[in-house]
């Protein structure tokens, strides 16, 4: 996996987890949903890179 893409994926996942936790703490459903969406984007980016790595080796 490309180091840059791996870092982006982990950063999106962490941002999403934090945003979701803050949203739940303050009772903001929109923020919670946005956090969940950021996590999903990070997971998708990581899955894409894993597939690319599988075919490279």
């Amino acid at each position: 996996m490309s180091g840059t893409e791996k870092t982006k994926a982990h950063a999106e996942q962490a941002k999403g987890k934090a945003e979701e936790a803050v949203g739940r703490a303050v009772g903001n459903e929109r923020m919670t949903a946005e956090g969940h969406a950021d996590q999903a984007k990070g997971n998708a980016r990581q899955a894409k890179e894993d597939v690319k790595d599988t075919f490279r080796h």
Side-chain angles (χ1 to χ4, degrees):
M1 179 183 298
S2 169
T4 304
E5 291 298 314
K6 184 177 183 178
T7 302
K8 286 180 184 178
H10 286 290
E12 273 184 329
Q13 291 168 342
K15 177 185 172 229
K17 284 182 184 184
E19 191 171 13
E20 185 177 6
V22 170
R24 285 184 187 192
V26 299
N28 187 332
E29 290 181 22
R30 180 177 174 202
M31 186 180 284
T32 302
E34 288 175 358
H36 190 72
D38 284 342
Q39 287 182 62
K41 280 193 264 182
N43 290 339
R45 183 185 305 257
Q46 187 170 356
K48 177 187 81 169
E49 291 301 315
D50 287 344
V51 169
K52 285 169 58 177
D53 283 346
T54 299
F55 286 108
R56 282 187 198 155
H57 298 286

